Amino acid sequence: MEKKGRILTGHRATGPRHIGHLVGTLNTWVSLQDSYECFFLVADLHVLTTDYANPEKIRRNTIEILADWLAVGIDPARSTLVLQSAIPEHALLSLLLSMLAPVGRLERIPTYKEQIQQLHLSPSLGLLTYPVLQTADILLYKADTVPVGEDQLPHLELAHELARRFNQLYTPIFPEPQALLSSIPRLPGIDNRTMHTSYNNAIFIKDTPEETTQKVMQMYTDPTRIHPTDPGHVENNPLFSYLEAFDPDQNEVSIFKERYQAGKVGDIEVKRTLARVLNQVLEPVRQRRAEVIAHPGDMLEMLRFGTDRARLVAQETILQVMRAMGLTAGLDLAEGASGPEKAAKGIFC
Ligand code: TRP
């Protein structure tokens, strides 16, 4: 089938994926695998921008992420899995693009400002250049489409600007990448704050049915409602955001909403339904997860296979970039071969 374009997207290897990742990004990625050529990146270098003191955690989380991706339907036979740190061209392109990125522009990026507030540390140079590295991830594969969550839009804007600037200054080799957002709004955590691994408010894909039910039963609902007969609010009520995102029977959801607003159904009944719905949707995913995590060696082999493939593309791009920027002294660094193999035998091997 003729593909619509090329996707590069990824997650930082920060821990097992939660149901917010599932509706925010993963389901979209899975559905795009047939219509786009997809590269899915495990961004382990990006983890170092904040969490550089725990190497063992990065290794473990890489496996956890892979297991979740495969379980939800990321298919290594159709898509390319990429390990960022195994392809040095990511770091090199980031360095080259950093020359075009004004420090003041990077300092104004909202995710950077939030991170320094939260960290209570003086930020590293690596944290400041986080979105430059992300731009390198995208441009290295000349991706035109980047499916991400809303929080990533400021980074995509930078990627767009840097691609443009490069194309204007040197040779137009990069598509200007476009963000693609999920149609479902961001899912709140069970306490109605942003769902976040470190806030202890996430339902994980790998949670057991009992853990899931227990978390649903603790969920924040309408704080103004004291008795089940009080009319309730469905807006800003995570019970209903979750039902909208997961219940295959949206008619059931509409009826629940009406009854809730009329004070004709208690929180407990809605929560029981939600727990059932979530466990039903997650059951096949959990089964696949258990199968894949039992063979971590096989998962790493899939990652190696994809990474080897991706590196050929990366090497070709980096040579073009270096030449365009006046580097390599015009030496034919890839002499003696042709096509992708030519790049593969290039300067880094
Ligand atoms: N910054 C992204 C996140 O936190 C992860 C990421 C790294 C990424 N490189 C990328 C996303 C390239 C899209 C494209 O979710």
Side-chain angles (χ1 to χ4, degrees):
M1 186 174 64
E2 182 67 20
K3 305 275 178 180
K4 285 192 207 155
R6 187 180 274 181
I7 279 174
L8 179 126
T9 187
H11 279 164
R12 273 185 307 155
T14 52
R17 304 293 83 189
H18 52 59
I19 60 172
H21 294 123
L22 187 60
V23 296
T25 51
L26 289 172
N27 281 341
T28 321
W29 300 3
V30 169
S31 70
L32 295 168
Q33 292 182 104
D34 280 326
S35 42
Y36 288 82
E37 186 189 0
C38 293
F39 291 81
F40 297 118
L41 180 76
V42 180
D44 54 351
L45 289 174
H46 274 114
V47 182
L48 298 178
T49 59
T50 50
D51 211 356
Y52 51 83
N54 289 300
E56 194 40 54
K57 223 163 94 185
I58 303 184
R59 265 191 289 271
R60 202 174 50 240
N61 286 336
T62 298
I63 297 285
E64 294 285 343
I65 280 212
L66 272 179
D68 286 326
W69 285 7
L70 297 171
V72 300
I74 299 292
D75 176 6
R78 285 181 290 161
S79 301
T80 305
L81 297 174
V82 189
L83 181 62
Q84 189 185 32
S85 63
I87 303 188
E89 286 77 9
H90 285 261
L92 177 50
L93 185 56
S94 179
L95 174 81
L96 296 173
L97 292 172
S98 74
M99 310 302 171
L100 308 184
V103 173
R105 170 75 180 86
L106 299 178
E107 282 171 338
R108 282 193 300 275
I109 291 182
T111 45
Y112 175 71
K113 292 198 285 191
E114 278 160 32
Q115 286 272 15
I116 36 185
Q117 267 173 5
Q118 276 176 19
L119 287 172
H120 308 294
L121 306 163
S122 74
S124 67
L125 180 59
L127 184 65
L128 180 68
T129 57
Y130 181 116
V132 181
L133 178 58
Q134 184 164 350
T135 300
D137 297 339
I138 299 165
L139 300 190
L140 201 49
Y141 301 95
K142 299 187 181 173
D144 45 57
T145 309
V146 188
V148 282
E150 234 172 311
D151 59 315
Q152 296 296 309
L153 288 179
H155 298 168
L156 265 289
E157 249 170 67
L158 182 79
H160 204 266
E161 277 168 34
L162 290 179
R164 239 206 154 107
R165 180 133 175 72
F166 185 99
N167 289 345
Q168 277 171 354
L169 264 173
Y170 310 110
T171 322
I173 59 171
F174 293 125
E176 292 172 19
Q178 302 294 329
L180 187 68
L181 292 179
S182 151
S183 55
I184 301 178
R186 193 173 174 150
L187 218 57
I190 59 171
D191 56 2
N192 208 32
R193 293 188 296 162
T194 309
M195 193 184 291
H196 205 292
T197 314
S198 58
Y199 293 174
N200 217 357
N201 66 354
I203 296 177
F204 294 98
I205 292 174
K206 70 172 196 177
D207 280 347
T208 62
E210 294 73 33
E211 284 165 334
T212 306
T213 304
Q214 209 180 24
K215 287 180 182 178
V216 170
M217 289 308 183
Q218 295 164 16
M219 269 176 79
Y220 169 103
T221 62
D222 175 359
T224 65
R225 193 167 186 242
I226 313 218
H227 307 289
T229 47
D230 296 343
H233 296 90
V234 298
E235 309 80 33
N236 199 27
N237 185 334
L239 287 184
F240 292 95
S241 328
Y242 283 31
L243 280 172
E244 279 169 11
F246 287 101
D247 196 340
D249 182 0
Q250 286 296 312
N251 196 27
E252 170 179 67
V253 181
S254 311
I255 296 169
F256 260 134
K257 281 188 179 168
E258 277 167 32
R259 290 175 58 208
Y260 198 85
Q261 285 167 321
K264 293 203 167 126
V265 60
D267 280 0
I268 305 276
E269 191 185 334
V270 185
K271 285 181 171 177
R272 286 212 180 103
T273 304
L274 175 60
R276 176 181 48 78
V277 162
L278 274 178
N279 281 326
Q280 256 168 17
V281 172
L282 292 173
E283 180 50 31
V285 179
R286 289 175 182 143
Q287 266 182 25
R288 273 198 300 273
R289 194 181 198 281
E291 285 161 26
V292 293
I293 200 104
H295 306 284
D298 291 355
M299 279 197 286
L300 289 174
E301 211 31 62
M302 291 174 198
L303 185 59
R304 169 187 291 281
F305 179 81
T307 301
D308 284 347
R309 228 193 121 234
R311 187 151 193 221
L312 300 179
V313 180
Q315 286 176 322
E316 218 167 61
T317 307
I318 207 78
L319 278 179
Q320 287 179 345
V321 170
M322 289 203 294
R323 289 202 188 106
M325 293 179 87
L327 305 173
T328 73
L331 293 175
D332 187 1
L333 295 168
E335 202 178 4
S338 64
E341 295 102 71
K342 177 166 155 175
K345 294 202 184 102
I347 47 177
F348 302 110
C349 295

